[in-house]
Amino acid sequence: MRKVDRNRIVGRRAWSILAVLLASTAACNRPAPASQTGATASRLPEFTLEDQGGRPFGLTDLHGVVWVADFIATHDGASRETTQRMATLAKDVTGTPSMNDVRFVSFSLDPDQDRADVLRAYATANGADGSRWSFLTGTPSTVRALITTGFKLAAPENQQFIVVGRDGRVRAAIDAKGQSALADVRRAITDALAAPPPQDVYVPKDLREPNWIENHRKAQMDAARTLQAAHDFQLVDRVGSSGITFRHVATEDLGRNYRAVHYDHGTAVAAADVDNDGLPDLYFVNQGGPNALYRNLGGGRFEDITAAAGVAVGHRACVGASFADIDNDGDEDLFVSCVRDGNLLFVNDGHGKFTDATMHAGVAGTGGHSSGAVFFDYDNDGRLDLFVTNVGKYTRDEEIANGLWKSFGDAFAGHLHPERFETSVLYHNVGDGRFEDVTKSSGLVHSAWSGEAMPFDYDGDGRTDLYIPSMQGHDELWRNAGNGRFERRSREVFPATPWGAMGVKAFDWNGDGRVDLLVTDMHTDMAADLLPENERRKQDPEKMFPPRFLATDGHHILGNALFTNRGAGKFDEVSETSGVETGWPWGPSVGDLNADGWPDVFISAGMNYPRRYKGNDILLNDGGKRFVPAEYVLGVEPRRRLIRPWFELECDGADVGQDICKGEIAPVMSDNTQTPEQRGTVPARHGHVTVWAARASRSAVVLDLDGDGDLDIVTNDYGDVPQVLISDLAQRGAINFLKIQLVGKSSNRDGLGARITVNAAGRAQVIVNDGKLGYLGQSAVPVYAGLGSAGQANSITVVWPGGQTQVVPGPLKSGATVVVRQR
Amino acid sequence: MPRGAAVTLVFSSREYISNFFAPDLGLREFAAPGLPGHFRFRADEARRYELRAEELCGLPHPERLVGAIVVDSPQEYQSWVRGRAR
């Protein structure tokens, strides 16, 4: 695999390029006056950059404070003078109680050179107090966008101080070189501080004080002392320096006009090397905003190529994204599932340019509430077929905006309304880029409330079956009968399944060579308040939904399920003894995070408004014996900022009738134990109100994003920016791994459905190439196999779909990408 | 309600899914638009039983006290009925 760090090429010239670009952009923007004070401009746009600590930092971190910005390059003499003046200002306010709400922010104009470590040294050299003075970097394009369209500055290198008010609006632009600059800034700060602080409402009431987190962290760190699995590495969110500016936009039905609805189940992130340059690119799916494709530039940097690649989806609210080579031409095509407005298939030209081939392919669907979709070759004819889940009708026939539809108030009772059912669709790939709907003829008529599906060969007969979780009912197992027909085998094989299953992944967790099944159950956790101390426990049967609401035979696992494969199509449910119970889980992403040869699990988890914070989970596989929670140990939790502004209200204007404005919603505590008397009453609110809510992920992919040999994690967070969690495992010492790229010939070219056995150090590690790197998505990246202490693999055996066995003899040295071409 | 009588309490919801609870009677049921809920019970003790409700998967109001089931002796109940009739 060819590796290209495009940043190295552009980085040396970035400083001058940025200056030129800013100058050319300036012609399109009205530059801020050299010295101007008073409340003025529009609010600055949301941004997420990276601070000198290597952490994401954005406008939300400056909510409610007055701040002074300057624009510097650490190697630039004029900038150093400005920094010294800023230091004088910072020193002035330190220790002055009336100035407690003042912050300082220095934006690097040379972000390629001024990485976090450079800024950290620069901050230290200038005596900056890191709690009040942040130095920010990003990519040249993200910084440029903020300066030109946010600050509307023509020539930031001319040294200016910008004073920003509590409301995020620019109040003054002052020539930093002027004789009266410091006095002018102090005056502007004083004026800005006179403005009333923002009105913030936190839902739930104790959103800002999650005291349980420290207890969780401590307990996990203590438990880690006896953990055998390697855990001495960290995953750090580097989204601020990645150039990924994608922001998921939530529907108002999950904000100011709250209705519990399936939009809440989120959207996918998927990965594939769309331009065949050897680097995995990322596609993020959105609801109220645009989807985005980011090209991997190497070195942890990305650029938005959505429009150029031709994969924008217009005003559609979408859910799933699946990469696969549907025409066996050696590049990854893209299927995007959407809500009501039709699904999309984009065909790749091999260079990352896509053509909308939906109509030709015949996969638009019928305007259902589509969700996760999976490519697999059910008839082993060498062409990838497609299964698209349709959840059920959870919206009314009333469009709000941007492809978002008004939700049913009782959306979660949809399974009790047969008229709202939508049948999922099985498409047979007939070649020439066309698909045929074979749902009825195949017998795979699935109308349960399902948003995800997992192809896997449950009985080892060489044919790929389909496990379909149901988020409101029993899961279903569809056995591939081999004659183009599927047979329901659900209760015979899995007598009890989670009632509220959301995500699923098949993998061999215990190293016995048989593929097991992990099912994550979100909705059972919604039957009663999920208290922090109960996150790793099954739901209390006494608190489970009433039987009439379950509408099943009542045989359910009250939480996550881990079905261990005992062979011959028999499974044992071992979730209680294996340690896989987690709270509010969406879906699993499986990968060998510590490269020890045992697959670990990242579970995207948590809810937003109006519930408390609940972070993501990492379950480290302890030698195939059990899973051990490690999200705190590995630095994934708690994230730096747990909450974010969720929506804003004008209580004397358009939102005067909203419940929070009227005072009818007095936020409750997250443990929900207060009586109405204890809650008291809340007076009506006036003016501008910001309502805050918990942050939470939805989907994720686990892959080696930066090509350093260890696995990283990228999330798609609901109503938020993603997390780009970069592992430092490979930097902490030598690790052993292989990457395996399958190239099918008579089988599908991606080799989806192939069973890979890696023989190393006396172990046979079985991995099925299914592309399922996470919830709602399907990706196309090489299969990753950690080798533990083995510096090489003795051989790799591939069983292709259809049964052909191919052995790649060793030794296969650690670190290699082994390309296995089907004979 | 008169003590010892078999009672069916029917409740409905106009837009959302509501869970109803009468904790001291061990009752828990839901109602949704078009799907009314029923409590079928017999109370053998004359007292006041709290009736609570919450929106399923919805805004986390505490289980709101939405009323009470008042169980009287048959005589007191008849007296109450006569009083209502006047």
Side-chain angles (χ1 to χ4, degrees), chain A residues 165 234 257 285-286 293 410 577:
Chain A
Q234 295 284 289
N257 303 320
V285 180
N286 213 332
L293 176 62
D410 64 341
T577 55

Side-chain angles (χ1 to χ4, degrees), chain A residues 121-138:
Chain A
Y122 186 74
T124 302
N126 284 281
D129 170 2
S131 66
R132 301 188 71 158
W133 190 353
S134 299
F135 293 76
L136 303 185
T137 183

Side-chain angles (χ1 to χ4, degrees), chain A residues 179-212:
Chain A
Q179 284 196 332
S180 63
L182 299 187
D184 290 346
V185 172
R186 290 185 192 109
R187 194 175 307 114
I189 289 174
T190 303
D191 288 348
L193 284 171
Q199 293 187 74
D200 295 323
V201 174
Y202 299 92
V203 182
K205 192 174 182 180
D206 53 348
L207 183 69
R208 283 180 299 170
E209 301 143 7
N211 298 328
W212 54 270

Side-chain angles (χ1 to χ4, degrees), chain A residues 524-711:
Chain A
T524 293
D525 281 347
M526 302 301 295
D529 289 320
L530 180 66
L531 302 180
E533 59 268 32
N534 292 336
E535 286 174 6
R536 297 196 185 277
R537 294 179 190 152
K538 291 283 191 287
Q539 182 61 277
D540 180 349
E542 294 294 315
K543 295 181 176 175
M544 191 53 180
F545 296 118
R548 197 169 63 95
F549 189 74
L550 298 180
T552 64
D553 62 9
H555 291 113
H556 293 293
I557 296 151
L558 302 182
N560 296 349
L562 180 57
F563 296 108
T564 293
N565 191 335
R566 297 303 182 203
K570 306 286 186 191
F571 291 79
D572 291 339
E573 204 287 304
V574 299
S575 60
E576 293 281 14
T577 55
S578 60
V580 298
E581 187 56 37
T582 59
W584 286 340
W586 296 106
S589 295
V590 172
D592 190 354
L593 294 172
N594 52 10
D596 66 351
W598 296 96
D600 310 300
V601 184
F602 174 87
I603 299 180
S604 49
M607 304 284 286
N608 309 101
Y609 182 82
R611 302 187 187 277
R612 70 172 173 91
Y613 182 79
K614 158 69 185 76
N616 295 315
D617 295 276
I618 288 184
L619 303 175
L620 284 183
N621 189 329
D622 201 6
K625 297 186 291 292
R626 60 172 184 155
F627 287 95
V628 179
E631 62 275 7
Y632 294 93
V633 175
L634 301 183
V636 169
E637 296 293 340
R639 60 170 91 184
R640 178 170 175 240
R641 195 161 42 75
L642 307 182
I643 63 177
R644 60 167 286 115
W646 198 247
F647 57 91
E648 314 227 342
L649 298 170
E650 296 297 340
C651 286
D652 293 326
D655 300 308
V656 67
Q658 213 271 358
D659 283 351
I660 289 178
C661 291
K662 288 195 293 185
E664 289 186 0
I665 293 183
V668 301
M669 301 292 280
S670 55
D671 60 7
N672 209 1
T673 55
Q674 287 179 306
T675 64
E677 293 74 24
Q678 288 169 326
R679 287 171 67 199
T681 57
V682 175
R685 296 180 173 89
H686 296 280
H688 186 89
V689 171
T690 302
V691 180
W692 291 68
R695 308 177 74 184
S697 298
R698 288 300 185 276
S699 61
V701 287
V702 173
L703 76 167
D704 183 4
L705 195 66
D706 53 1
D708 65 354
D710 56 32
L711 291 180

Side-chain angles (χ1 to χ4, degrees), chain A residues 227-546:
Chain A
L227 176 60
Q228 298 294 311
H231 56 276
D232 53 343
F233 62 102
Q234 295 284 289
L235 289 144
V236 178
D237 185 4
R238 306 304 298 269
V239 67
S241 60
S242 69
I244 294 172
T245 55
F246 173 80
R247 183 176 295 274
H248 181 276
V249 179
T251 171
E252 285 193 354
D253 273 3
L254 290 165
R256 75 176 65 206
N257 303 320
Y258 185 81
R259 295 156 177 268
V261 65
H262 301 70
Y263 277 125
D264 196 20
H265 296 184
T267 58
V269 54
D273 177 8
V274 300
D275 52 358
N276 283 320
D277 67 354
L279 302 174
D281 310 301
L282 295 169
Y283 189 74
F284 293 92
V285 180
N286 213 332
Q287 287 179 346
N291 292 5
L293 176 62
Y294 283 91
R295 181 175 177 233
N296 191 335
L297 301 172
R301 299 292 182 91
F302 291 80
E303 66 174 350
D304 186 340
I305 60 166
T306 314
V311 290
V313 300
H315 291 311
R316 280 179 168 83
C318 297
V319 181
S322 302
F323 281 111
D325 185 354
I326 64 122
D327 45 11
N328 292 328
D329 65 351
D331 54 47
E332 301 303 333
D333 310 299
L334 174 64
F335 180 81
V336 182
S337 63
C338 303
V339 178
R340 297 193 67 140
D341 293 320
N343 303 321
L344 295 160
L345 178 66
F346 298 101
V347 172
N348 194 340
D349 72 352
H351 304 286
K353 305 286 186 190
F354 291 80
T355 302
D356 184 344
T358 309
M359 301 316 291
H360 173 78
V363 293
T366 54
H369 296 65
S370 296
S371 185
V374 285
F375 286 99
F376 69 115
D377 183 5
Y378 74 81
D379 56 351
N380 290 334
D381 65 355
R383 292 188 290 262
L384 287 172
D385 310 303
L386 174 64
F387 183 74
V388 183
T389 59
N390 286 320
V391 174
K393 190 172 181 183
Y394 53 80
T395 60
R396 302 174 187 273
D397 297 335
E398 182 183 338
E399 191 167 14
I400 304 171
N402 290 340
L404 291 164
W405 298 73
K406 189 172 182 181
S407 310
F408 282 118
D410 64 341
F412 285 111
H415 62 291
L416 304 176
H417 292 273
E419 74 279 8
R420 297 187 197 172
F421 287 14
E422 292 175 342
T423 303
S424 297
V425 181
L426 179 65
Y427 294 101
H428 180 226
N429 187 336
V430 297
D432 189 31
R434 295 176 188 273
F435 290 78
E436 179 185 0
D437 182 344
V438 294
T439 307
K440 284 184 182 170
S441 62
S442 69
L444 205 169
V445 181
H446 179 88
S447 299
W449 283 62
S450 299
E452 181 66 296
M454 182 71 230
F456 88 119
D457 181 5
Y458 88 93
D459 53 1
D461 66 357
R463 295 187 288 265
T464 304
D465 313 296
L466 205 57
Y467 187 96
I468 311 178
S470 168
M471 61 185 79
Q472 289 158 227
H474 270 304
D475 299 351
E476 303 289 359
L477 173 68
W478 292 90
R479 178 178 175 270
N480 186 339
N483 52 359
R485 299 278 300 173
F486 284 80
E487 303 165 345
R488 197 192 301 258
R489 284 287 183 272
S490 311
R491 301 286 76 73
E492 298 99 300
V493 180
F494 301 106
T497 64
W499 183 83
M502 200 66 66
V504 57
K505 170 64 179 170
F507 67 109
D508 177 14
W509 82 274
N510 58 359
D512 65 0
R514 292 187 286 260
V515 177
D516 314 300
L517 199 67
L518 173 64
V519 182
T520 49
D521 182 343
M522 164 60 85
H523 279 167
T524 293
D525 281 347
M526 302 301 295
D529 289 320
L530 180 66
L531 302 180
E533 59 268 32
N534 292 336
E535 286 174 6
R536 297 196 185 277
R537 294 179 190 152
K538 291 283 191 287
Q539 182 61 277
D540 180 349
E542 294 294 315
K543 295 181 176 175
M544 191 53 180
F545 296 118

